[in-house]
Amino acid sequence: MSRSMTRMIRVVLLFVAVLLVAPLAEAIVVAPHYAFLDHRARSAVIYLHNPGTEPEEISISFVFGYPASDSAGDVSIKVIDQPAAADPSAAGWIRAYPRRATVGPGETRAVRLLAQPPADLAEGEYWARAVVHSRGVEAPVTAPDSGGVQVGLRLEVRTVVPVTYRNGNVNTGLVIADVDRAVNGDSLVAKVGMRRSGNAAFLGTLHVTLLDATGAVAAEARRAVAVYRDLLKRVSLPVSDLPPGDYTLHVRVDTERSDLEPELVLPAQPLETTLEVRLP
């Protein structure tokens, strides 16, 4: 099976999975949930599907942003409105065609993302976020006791898709800078500090496993991670049903990502570390 056919099947399956819950939102569904471009293929396609019964007006804009964390290990997208010259921003030279469109009920539209980077762009990875603005048709609403006066009500939903542009030779790696663990109520909370190396983001999975004295798995969790610079990721393991005693916390970070095509994930050596934990 060709790579393009495999990618199309992945997009179709993603649409099916999302459409199972899409009627709850009645908003535009975007697939895939990422876009990768490079110096060889400076374009990519995303698909916009309207599962609702009314047309949706869409527009697409681009911002510079990447995942960042706070001291508690909560991760959110940090958006920088005015990137510095040293920031690896692609927001200023990624375009969407069409940038505006109307997607009818049950309709799917293809949108092509095209990179037009500067001629002297240095090797490395550059980032942007495609913001898909979806607005339903304007619906008149009559407020109680308004004397029949109608006002237009139109809701807007924003879907953000990470866009990555890779120029020339790119590589990535990771350092586990620190692991903090503490029992908090009925949970063991681990905070894993990670620092990226290389000139591209590290995309992978964080595995946190609690082992008992016999080496058996007592609790475990997996979390997808995208380390663009530094990241502190918090993972909670339930321990209320575990007996008191000594345990081992095993932390592993690798480049496994079930939601990304393997050829899109840059290779890197997996990292592992262990710490002792005592449950009261």
Side-chain angles (χ1 to χ4, degrees), residues 128-167:
R129 300 272 153 170
V131 184
V132 180
H133 307 258
S134 172
R135 306 174 183 86
V137 295
E138 188 170 343
V141 176
T142 303
D145 303 323
S146 62
V149 176
Q150 293 185 334
V151 296
L153 177 64
R154 187 162 62 169
L155 302 178
E156 177 175 303
V157 177
R158 297 182 182 183
T159 304
V160 180
V161 177
V163 180
T164 298
Y165 182 85
R166 292 170 176 167
N167 188 48

Side-chain angles (χ1 to χ4, degrees), residues 90-144:
W93 39 267
I94 301 285
R95 302 287 184 268
Y97 298 95
R99 189 173 68 87
R100 297 180 179 273
T102 298
V103 184
E107 184 179 78
T108 300
R109 289 288 301 266
V111 175
R112 182 167 295 277
L113 307 182
L114 180 63
Q116 299 173 314
D120 58 349
L121 188 68
E123 286 190 332
E125 194 175 78
Y126 297 82
W127 315 320
R129 300 272 153 170
V131 184
V132 180
H133 307 258
S134 172
R135 306 174 183 86
V137 295
E138 188 170 343
V141 176
T142 303

Side-chain angles (χ1 to χ4, degrees), residues 9-274:
I9 291 175
R10 285 177 178 267
V11 170
V12 171
L13 291 176
L14 181 59
F15 267 135
V16 172
V18 175
L19 288 176
L20 293 176
V21 296
L24 298 176
E26 292 293 333
I28 288 291
V29 178
V30 183
H33 62 283
Y34 55 82
F36 288 87
L37 304 83
D38 60 32
H39 63 282
R40 296 180 299 270
R42 295 186 176 181
S43 67
V45 176
I46 59 174
Y47 297 90
L48 312 180
H49 178 74
N50 180 2
T53 58
E54 300 292 338
E56 294 278 339
E57 296 178 0
I58 64 100
S59 63
I60 300 175
S61 60
F62 296 90
V63 298
F64 175 55
Y66 54 88
S69 55
D70 59 18
S71 59
D74 293 321
V75 179
S76 60
I77 301 302
K78 179 180 181 179
V79 175
I80 301 175
D81 294 328
Q82 296 182 332
D87 285 329
S89 173
W93 39 267
I94 301 285
R95 302 287 184 268
Y97 298 95
R99 189 173 68 87
R100 297 180 179 273
T102 298
V103 184
E107 184 179 78
T108 300
R109 289 288 301 266
V111 175
R112 182 167 295 277
L113 307 182
L114 180 63
Q116 299 173 314
D120 58 349
L121 188 68
E123 286 190 332
E125 194 175 78
Y126 297 82
W127 315 320
R129 300 272 153 170
V131 184
V132 180
H133 307 258
S134 172
R135 306 174 183 86
V137 295
E138 188 170 343
V141 176
T142 303
D145 303 323
S146 62
V149 176
Q150 293 185 334
V151 296
L153 177 64
R154 187 162 62 169
L155 302 178
E156 177 175 303
V157 177
R158 297 182 182 183
T159 304
V160 180
V161 177
V163 180
T164 298
Y165 182 85
R166 292 170 176 167
N167 188 48
N169 294 319
V170 291
N171 61 86
T172 191
L174 198 70
V175 174
I176 297 179
D178 184 44
V179 179
D180 183 30
R181 75 282 191 201
V183 177
N184 185 359
D186 59 359
S187 298
L188 173 65
V189 179
K191 296 180 183 178
V192 183
M194 294 165 283
R195 183 172 63 251
R196 188 211 83 197
S197 61
N199 62 359
F202 180 98
L203 305 177
T205 299
L206 170 64
H207 310 255
V208 179
T209 307
L210 186 65
L211 306 173
D212 66 17
T214 69
V217 175
E220 62 181 338
R222 295 185 179 187
R223 300 289 187 270
V225 291
V227 186
Y228 282 59
R229 289 178 169 165
D230 297 333
L231 195 75
L232 181 66
K233 183 73 172 181
R234 185 182 70 243
V235 178
S236 296
L237 299 177
V239 295
S240 59
D241 295 334
L242 299 180
D246 294 327
Y247 292 79
T248 300
L249 185 67
H250 181 262
V251 176
R252 175 185 169 92
V253 190
D254 56 36
T255 53
E256 295 180 4
R257 282 291 293 263
S258 60
D259 60 327
L260 296 175
E261 296 161 16
E263 65 270 20
L264 298 177
V265 180
L266 296 177
Q269 289 295 322
L271 296 174
E272 297 180 87
T273 188
T274 57

